Structures are given as C-alpha cells and as structure tokens.
Amino acid sequence: WGIDAQKRQAVGECGEFLAEYGREGQGRSSPEKMIDEIADVLVMMNQLAMIYGENEVRERIAFKVNRVKNKLGL
C-alpha cells in the first residue's frame, strides 16, 4: 500500500464520512451506515498516527482533552 497511498485513502474515507453525514441530515442514512463510516475514519486516523508518530499524537490528545476539562472546570 505505502504511506502516500494510505494518506490518500484517509482523505477518501473522511470524504465518505462527510457524504454520509450529509445524507443523515437529509434523513437518507441510518445509524449502521454512520457507524461504519465512523469506524473507517477512526481506522485511517490510527494509521495516520502510526505514520506521523503515535506517541506525539497521544500527547496532543491528552493536552487537548485537559484543555477542554479546564475550560469546563473539571
């Protein structure tokens, strides 16, 4: 597959999610279809994290979650 191919695939999966999300807003989707598209995007995001650095991504997630917690006073 290769890194460049996986990056392009990630873009495609995000596009498919957005298209399904749009259909949901029009009443032309289902929970099962949304779950499938969410799963595809999450799989691709995990692959991108492997490509760009899993530890760095985890650190940024923790930082951002903590920032939201602080804004919420938690």
Side-chain angles (χ1 to χ4, degrees):
W1 293 337
I3 289 174
D4 289 336
Q6 289 311 100
K7 289 178 182 180
R8 287 189 300 274
Q9 184 68 30
V11 171
E13 294 296 347
C14 288
E16 289 178 21
F17 165 77
L18 291 171
E20 194 63 39
Y21 186 74
R23 285 190 283 276
E24 181 185 48
Q26 300 168 343
R28 299 186 304 125
S29 185
S30 68
E32 294 80 14
K33 290 178 183 177
M34 287 300 301
I35 289 166
D36 197 49
E37 293 304 332
I38 291 166
D40 289 345
V41 169
L42 289 173
V43 167
M44 294 311 301
M45 291 305 107
N46 280 315
Q47 287 186 32
L48 290 177
M50 287 184 251
I51 291 167
Y52 287 102
E54 291 177 87
N55 290 333
E56 292 83 352
V57 170
R58 275 194 222 106
E59 287 172 9
R60 290 306 292 169
I61 291 170
F63 170 80
K64 290 174 183 242
V65 167
N66 284 327
R67 184 174 60 194
V68 169
K69 283 182 180 179
N70 288 335
K71 287 181 181 180
L72 295 174
L74 301 174

